[in-house]
């Protein structure tokens, strides 16, 4: 069973501030609001605000300048260079990548995905499940979920491999625009079907990367659950799509 544990308040605040840096609300070279202003704006304690700012400084988003306050540095180079599982899930060409499409159909939305897509618990969504292989061995299982409102007029329900990736397909067919992605990573035990597809013995965990793609307004367009060997870590990240 998978458990989704909410991030601590200071982490959530850091993510919100990072998002404002990403969207230009806090431009590079400018000062972020003071600790007192952040306490008032978000209704959080000063220790929570201080920890959030320290986290952003540690990761290179902010820096302290004596006599001037906390300054926005902008997007750290390490973030720009980091390999993005989310981008791969959105752009993977099923007709070219080694592997196979193992399932396509409308299914009850999993609870974790329902929350990500903003759907009722009993809603039906379209799932495309693709097994990525390397030298004939399974290395990654990607289950992508789409709201019913985005299915009509697309080839998402086709049992044939999709060319060009789901992002390009939806942007062309539905005239939507993917803007940013959030990744939530957690370790869990796979269900029987997932373990069989990945060739895992009983009791071996997987790393579940829940990739949520949104438009500029924050509306979720697609959620993909990427399963691969687990290392027990948990994190969340948000970044813009070029």
């Amino acid at each position: 069973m998978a458990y989704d544990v909410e991030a601590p308040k200071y982490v959530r605040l850091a993510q919100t501030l990072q998002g404002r840096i990403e969207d230009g609300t806090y431009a590079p070279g400018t000062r972020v609001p003071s600790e007192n202003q952040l306490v008032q704006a978000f209704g959080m304690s000063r220790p929570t605000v201080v920890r959030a700012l320290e986290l952003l400084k540690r990761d290179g988003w902010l820096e302290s300048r004596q006599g001037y306050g906390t300054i926005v540095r902008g997007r750290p180079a390490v973030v720009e260079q980091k390999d993005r599982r989310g981008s791969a899930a959105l752009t993977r060409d099923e007709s070219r990548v080694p592997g196979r499409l193992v399932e396509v159909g409308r299914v009850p939305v999993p609870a974790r995905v329902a929350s990500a897509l903003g759907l009722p618990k009993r809603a039906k969504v379209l799932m495309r499940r693709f097994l990525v292989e390397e030298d004939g061995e399974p290395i990654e299982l990607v289950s992508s979920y789409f709201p019913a409102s985005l299915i009509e007029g697309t080839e998402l329900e086709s049992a044939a491999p999709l060319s060009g990736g789901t992002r390009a397909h939806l942007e062309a067919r539905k005239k939507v625009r993917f803007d940013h992605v959030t990744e939530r990573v957690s370790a869990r035990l796979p269900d029987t079907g997932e373990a069989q597809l990945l060739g895992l013995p009983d009791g071996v965990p997987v790393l579940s990367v829940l990739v949520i793609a949104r438009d500029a307004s924050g509306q979720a367009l697609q959620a993909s659950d990427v399963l691969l060997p687990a290392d027990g870590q948990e994190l969340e990240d948000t970044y813009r799509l070029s």
Side-chain angles (χ1 to χ4, degrees):
M1 180 178 294
Y3 296 91
D4 231 355
V5 180
E6 190 172 39
K9 286 183 178 180
Y10 79 94
V11 174
R12 284 182 274 142
L13 177 56
Q15 291 164 352
T16 299
L17 298 178
Q18 178 185 321
R20 295 187 179 185
I21 297 172
E22 294 260 40
D23 67 19
T25 301
Y26 302 149
T30 63
R31 285 185 293 182
V32 296
S34 67
E35 291 177 8
N36 286 337
Q37 290 172 322
L38 291 172
V39 167
Q40 293 297 320
F42 293 96
M44 294 184 177
S45 67
R46 183 178 296 277
T48 296
V49 169
V50 170
R51 290 190 71 183
L53 293 175
E54 289 301 320
L55 181 60
L56 291 171
K57 291 173 188 176
R58 186 202 70 184
D59 290 346
W61 294 92
L62 302 175
E63 67 177 328
S64 294
R65 291 184 187 174
Q66 189 171 4
Y68 198 66
T70 302
I71 308 301
V72 177
R73 294 184 63 186
R75 191 176 183 83
V78 66
V79 174
E80 296 286 357
Q81 297 166 358
K82 185 180 177 184
D83 179 41
R84 299 298 189 180
R85 297 185 185 91
S87 293
L90 298 175
T91 60
R92 179 175 288 113
D93 188 330
E94 295 173 350
S95 65
R96 295 179 178 271
V97 173
R100 55 192 172 94
L101 190 62
V102 295
E103 185 178 352
V104 179
R106 301 200 185 206
V107 298
V109 60
R112 192 171 180 225
V113 176
S115 174
L117 293 178
L119 296 175
K121 291 183 179 179
R122 293 180 175 82
K124 285 289 188 76
V125 291
L126 177 70
M127 180 184 73
R128 292 184 69 86
R129 176 167 284 177
F130 190 86
L131 184 65
V132 183
E133 298 176 331
E134 187 174 278
D135 297 327
E137 297 294 328
I139 60 170
E140 188 174 301
L141 181 64
V142 184
S143 301
S144 295
Y145 301 88
F146 306 89
S149 59
L150 286 182
I151 297 171
E152 186 177 353
T154 73
E155 296 179 12
L156 293 175
E157 288 191 281
S158 171
L162 189 67
S163 299
T166 55
R167 176 187 177 183
H169 187 75
L170 282 171
E171 288 186 336
R173 294 295 183 91
K174 303 298 290 187
K175 306 306 178 185
V176 295
R177 179 173 175 78
F178 286 61
D179 180 76
H180 60 281
V181 159
T182 296
E183 294 180 358
R184 298 174 184 170
V185 185
S186 59
R188 67 173 174 86
L189 290 175
D191 62 32
T192 301
E194 293 167 343
Q196 288 177 345
L197 286 168
L198 289 169
L200 297 175
D202 291 342
V204 175
V206 291
L207 195 65
S208 170
V209 184
L210 184 62
V211 181
I212 309 162
R214 305 179 188 275
D215 63 17
S217 72
Q219 177 67 41
L221 303 173
Q222 172 181 340
S224 297
D225 192 12
V226 182
L227 300 186
L228 56 160
D231 58 11
Q233 59 184 321
E234 182 162 354
L235 55 92
E236 177 167 329
D237 196 10
T238 298
Y239 55 90
R240 292 199 174 278
L241 294 166
S242 57

